[in-house]
Amino acid sequence: AGTSAASHSVTIAVSEINELSISGGNITVTISTATAGSLPNAASNTATSLNWTANASTGPATTRTITALLSSAYTSGIVLKVTLAATCTSGSTAGTSQGQKTLSTAASTLITGLSNEFCSGATLTYQGSLTSMFPFTTSETKTVTLTLADDA
């Protein structure tokens, strides 16, 4: 009645991870106030936030960037801007917010320098404004695509 033992190695391998999601769903920015004799005041909406998990490689791209772009342009005179906060409600980020960006069909960089981190609840602030007058029935919906990718 002897004892017997066996052993083996267990390797844990970490693959590249780049995950991005939006909390808060679709939103509306309603422009509804003005000072007499001026264009309407810009309006903001902070009801959405961004979440990400990313690990950087040890190769040439050691950090990540988050960009945003519109599916198509708004009618001339309607402007949508966005700011992505570099602070999270949970997790942490070493990234740097690039401040408020005017969205178009070309990608705008919102945050740079993301490394090995996760972030939940980074506030997206959308601001709508007008550079000319429109009838009060005007409403346009566009899709904003946010992308997490290697820094260039």
Side-chain angles (χ1 to χ4, degrees):
T3 61
S4 179
S7 59
H8 67 140
S9 298
V10 176
T11 301
I12 297 175
V14 179
S15 297
E16 180 179 21
I17 301 168
N18 283 314
E19 296 295 328
L20 187 68
S21 69
I22 300 170
S23 298
N26 297 327
I27 62 165
T28 299
V29 177
T30 302
I31 298 171
S32 61
T33 62
T35 301
S38 299
L39 286 168
N41 299 325
S44 295
N45 186 310
T46 59
T48 56
S49 61
L50 202 59
N51 313 300
W52 64 83
T53 299
N55 58 356
S57 70
T58 56
T62 58
T63 58
R64 305 279 188 262
T65 296
I66 296 174
T67 61
L69 59 81
L70 292 174
S71 55
S72 60
Y74 280 99
T75 299
S76 180
I78 299 176
V79 179
L80 180 64
K81 296 180 180 182
V82 65
T83 305
L84 174 58
T87 55
C88 310
T89 56
S90 69
S92 63
T93 178
T96 303
S97 174
Q98 299 302 294
Q100 188 179 64
K101 297 293 182 173
T102 300
L103 293 181
S104 70
T105 57
S108 293
T109 300
L110 303 183
I111 197 166
T112 59
L114 300 174
S115 187
N116 297 313
E117 60 195 71
F118 67 96
C119 175
S120 177
T123 301
L124 282 163
T125 302
Y126 287 99
Q127 181 187 71
S129 62
L130 302 178
T131 59
S132 57
M133 292 302 296
F134 288 88
F136 70 88
T137 56
T138 298
S139 177
E140 284 190 33
T141 301
K142 304 296 179 187
T143 299
V144 176
T145 301
L146 297 140
T147 303
L148 172 65
D150 289 345
D151 274 342

